[in-house]
Amino acid sequence: MEKMRDIVKEGMRVGNEDPRRIIHAFKVGLALVVVSSFYYYQPFGPFTDYFGINAMWAVMTVVVVFEFSVGATLGKGLNRGVATLVAGGLGIGAHQLARLSGTTVEPILLVMLVFVQAALSTFVRFFPWVKKKFDYAILIFILTFALISLSGFRDEEILDLAESRISTVVIGGLSCVFISIFVCPVWAGQDLHSLLASNFDTLAYFLQDFGDEYFEARVEAGDYKVVEKRGRNLDRFKSVLDSKSDEEALANYAEWEPPHGKFRFRHPWKQYLAVGALLRQCAYRIDALNSYINSDFQIPMDIKMKLEEPLRRMSSESGKSMKEVSISLKKMIKSSSSDIHVLNSQSACKALSTLLKSGILNDVEPLQMISLLTTVSLLIDIVNLTEKISESVHELAYAARFKNMMRPTVYSDSGSIVRAMPIESHAGDHVVTVLHDVDTSSNNVDNSLGESSQNSCHHVAIKIVDDDHSNHEDGEIHIHTSLLEDVKRNDRLH
Amino acid sequence: MEKMRDIVKEGMRVGNEDPRRIIHAFKVGLALVVVSSFYYYQPFGPFTDYFGINAMWAVMTVVVVFEFSVGATLGKGLNRGVATLVAGGLGIGAHQLARLSGTTVEPILLVMLVFVQAALSTFVRFFPWVKKKFDYAILIFILTFALISLSGFRDEEILDLAESRISTVVIGGLSCVFISIFVCPVWAGQDLHSLLASNFDTLAYFLQDFGDEYFEARVEAGDYKVVEKRGRNLDRFKSVLDSKSDEEALANYAEWEPPHGKFRFRHPWKQYLAVGALLRQCAYRIDALNSYINSDFQIPMDIKMKLEEPLRRMSSESGKSMKEVSISLKKMIKSSSSDIHVLNSQSACKALSTLLKSGILNDVEPLQMISLLTTVSLLIDIVNLTEKISESVHELAYAARFKNMMRPTVYSDSGSIVRAMPIESHAGDHVVTVLHDVDTSSNNVDNSLGESSQNSCHHVAIKIVDDDHSNHEDGEIHIHTSLLEDVKRNDRLH
């Protein structure tokens, strides 16, 4: 009884976690009902016998092929269908061949053929690329070939067997595919897209909060709310650490899926994996960083404070950049607002190194510096990774042909979406004009770069921190108010 | 043609990587031949019909159930067998129930039953513990229940169907299990054990080489051999980073396996995962460390040199400790020689902090220190993790009842398995006297220390084990009473 209640409770948790699971369960039931009633009320052939032998294949196909996402179902269905077809043909061939060789040799030859085929196919399943995409096809191939070539039927019977097996497998498979696509579909591609965006959110959340956590952790140490919040944080970013296998499975399934929603044919699912891998690297650094927030060996606050400003900015600007990426991913638009934050975090990096050079830590003991400088080093890593991630997302946006935003592009390393040229330098600042062609938002980047029209360029004054570390106290990138307002407005529009 | 040659080449690579794959392919072929000839030459019943309908289940069972390792095969076979039995019984029940309710209601009732059963079972597959171990059973349960309850047979026919399905599944499953156990068995448990030991080897290799790499990297930068060697190193430890899913799958399979080789019933496979997780944490640190060997931002050698001695010792002693663990794992003996190296690495840690306190880095710029101190911090982490790992392996050795070695155990933090026996000292050996504070550990170590717990501390002469590591020219194991007490005291402080 107690056990029963536990199971019901777990069921409710599993259902709440993703309500599509409940719908999926009903869909499988529906598919089974469809297939079985198809055979129950068939207009042709005798009722019992035909059902017993053949409908079985349809029922079996439904149970085995129907997976949670459309991509997985399609992949399995295609694997099963094609393998059944090919193996059926070869099986009939083997059967005929054996029949020609006389009754004594026949069984021996057949068994030998089955042995060789099974051994070869089983070995092929170890090939990594086969294992990844066609494992199920090979399994069905071995199965169907053995069934058809070994069956001791006469010629016309075996053709019947092959034909009915193939037709029932096709019927079962098609039922699955139709129901899975047209009844509340679960698209693996959409899931992968959402997973990536939510991973960005998660890391952004941590990085934006990091400053408060690190510099106030000890002050409010007794506060229950703080501890609880940090606990939640911790759990959240840990999910990113283990996201690899989920991402790979989803990308694998997504490749089987037809165009759906905003995802066109040949959507660059592989690039999602590349971005995901970089994001995971960043999460590893965050994991290490997190251990320094909670470490027992705390550095005195007054030493920490010396580096507070640049450290806070580095992490919060990296976080903001990730937040922007997540927003642009969700909306599927090309956006460069993340680049501004990348630049800001890099300038904070520069400010930090200037600060360190100025000898601010000269009177601190090296032993105390270990933890502080490790934090510094991890944050520098994160800033560098943020830049790489931002580039990688630009590549993704380009390959996936995300829509252009009416938004000035400030920066790009790979030169894909951006144009920047210095016009005039004032005494202290580097002023950069960013040309952004608003008119060509629907076209490809190549076009928009070719003919940058005069009427639609924004002048942005960017105060870039010098390579030679001239002392800019804030080192922030100043974008003219008008432009920022432009950006804001566009944000609101979309 | 070119394509064909590529495939053959890949096949040879796959076969060379693990020749057991080739044997496995032959085993599957053999199982199919056994099952099919069993039905070909059966003494009872008509040839063709019986074969066509029933042997199919045996062939199918072989193809679907036969997996690479014994554990996976057993798990799948049991899942399939039990599910078929239960679903067969319930299916017959459902069929009888429907029959009693009259011919018009019958099909509707049956289809409803199948729908409810399929939906419920599909939902249950989302439960994590079901998904992990019983996913296949639920699949077969849905399948068999639908097949038997939907089949439009008369009562005696349906009993025949159920009986023949169950008996053929059992025959197919047993053939797989017997062949998989008695013909060149592949034990998942043995594989997991070897994987863990080889992961220890891999990390040990890196750590033992780290000193040379870090302190001589730039000197021999032009040397091709060095770069190549480092590349190999790098690839090797990276395999540990991704070992999680392999370890989990193997542990999952291993739990289905009967006692084999040195592995008894209820071997603590879960503890392997715990040790593996710690080892992976260590590998993450090593990954970061590796990036500092190759980083562009190199610190001047003279600054590095100041900390060379303790840093080298920390990493090489951690590495030696892991090497010892790997050896004791492979031999399946309880060994404490790793603890000595853990102690050594900890004492190097202490030496390092003394050095840092002495102000040796006072004239170094903080900016230059970032990379150096991060390396220091990572190595400290690794030393701490090495201790945890060593403890975790002791727990494993205890739970798995590894054989005791006639080898003195010096030190245990958790006090789980401490064994000490005096050995007479020879002139040439390194003789060390260790004070072991029994009082602090006697509560945990009640059994093993029972005989020696009268005196609060005892003297242990450690004869350094000569078979494994003969040259100690630097005399690394100089644990003096004072030092050990120091370590102990510090341990208590932390």
Side-chain angles (χ1 to χ4, degrees), chain B residues 50 62 89 91 102 137 305 330 332 375 384 395 430 434:
Chain B
Y50 196 76
V62 167
M305 288 297 197
K330 279 178 194 152
M332 295 192 79
T375 307
N384 290 336
E395 272 169 45
H430 288 81
V434 175

Coordinates of all heavy atoms in Angstrom, one line a residue, chain B residues 50 62 89 91 102 137 305 330 332 375 384 395 430 434:
Chain B
Y50 N 5.0 -25.7 -38.1 CA 5.5 -25.5 -36.7 C 6.7 -24.6 -36.8 O 6.8 -23.6 -36.0 CB 5.8 -26.8 -36.0 CG 5.9 -26.6 -34.6 CD1 4.8 -26.5 -33.8 CD2 7.2 -26.6 -33.9 CE1 4.9 -26.3 -32.4 CE2 7.3 -26.4 -32.6 CZ 6.2 -26.3 -31.8 OH 6.3 -26.1 -30.5
V62 N 17.0 -14.8 -30.2 CA 18.5 -14.9 -30.3 C 19.0 -13.6 -30.8 O 19.9 -13.0 -30.3 CB 18.9 -16.0 -31.2 CG1 20.4 -15.9 -31.5 CG2 18.7 -17.4 -30.4
G89 N 0.3 -14.7 -19.3 CA -0.8 -15.0 -18.3 C -1.9 -14.0 -18.3 O -3.1 -14.3 -18.5
G91 N -2.6 -11.8 -20.7 CA -3.2 -11.8 -22.0 C -4.3 -12.9 -22.1 O -5.4 -12.6 -22.5
G102 N -19.6 -11.8 -24.5 CA -20.4 -11.9 -25.7 C -19.7 -11.3 -26.9 O -18.7 -10.6 -26.8
A137 N 11.9 -5.1 -20.5 CA 10.8 -6.0 -20.0 C 9.4 -5.3 -20.3 O 8.5 -6.0 -20.8 CB 11.0 -6.2 -18.5
M305 N 61.0 28.0 -11.3 CA 62.0 27.1 -10.7 C 61.9 27.2 -9.2 O 62.2 26.3 -8.5 CB 63.4 27.6 -11.1 CG 63.7 27.2 -12.5 SD 63.7 25.4 -12.8 CE 64.6 25.3 -14.3
K330 N 44.5 -4.4 -9.9 CA 44.7 -5.4 -10.9 C 45.0 -6.8 -10.2 O 44.5 -7.8 -10.7 CB 45.9 -5.1 -11.8 CG 45.6 -4.1 -12.9 CD 46.8 -3.8 -13.8 CE 46.5 -2.6 -14.7 NZ 47.7 -1.8 -15.0
M332 N 43.9 -7.4 -7.2 CA 42.8 -7.5 -6.3 C 43.4 -7.8 -4.9 O 42.9 -8.8 -4.2 CB 41.8 -8.6 -6.7 CG 41.1 -8.2 -8.0 SD 39.7 -9.2 -8.4 CE 38.5 -8.6 -7.4
T375 N 48.2 26.9 -11.2 CA 48.8 25.6 -11.3 C 49.0 25.0 -9.9 O 48.6 23.9 -9.6 CB 50.2 25.6 -11.9 OG1 50.1 26.3 -13.2 CG2 50.8 24.3 -12.1
N384 N 44.5 16.6 -2.7 CA 43.4 16.4 -1.8 C 42.5 15.3 -2.4 O 42.0 14.4 -1.7 CB 42.5 17.6 -1.6 CG 43.3 18.6 -0.8 OD1 44.2 18.3 0.0 ND2 42.9 19.9 -0.9
E395 N 37.7 1.5 0.7 CA 36.4 1.1 0.9 C 36.0 0.0 -0.1 O 35.4 -1.0 0.3 CB 35.4 2.2 0.8 CG 35.1 3.0 2.0 CD 34.4 4.3 1.7 OE1 33.4 4.2 1.0 OE2 34.8 5.4 2.2
H430 N 65.1 1.6 3.4 CA 64.7 2.9 4.0 C 63.8 2.5 5.2 O 62.8 1.8 5.0 CB 63.9 3.7 3.1 CG 64.7 4.3 2.0 ND1 65.1 3.7 0.9 CD2 65.2 5.6 1.9 CE1 65.8 4.5 0.2 NE2 65.9 5.6 0.8
V434 N 56.9 5.0 12.1 CA 55.6 5.8 12.0 C 54.9 5.7 13.3 O 54.7 4.6 13.8 CB 54.7 5.2 10.9 CG1 53.4 5.9 10.8 CG2 55.5 5.4 9.5

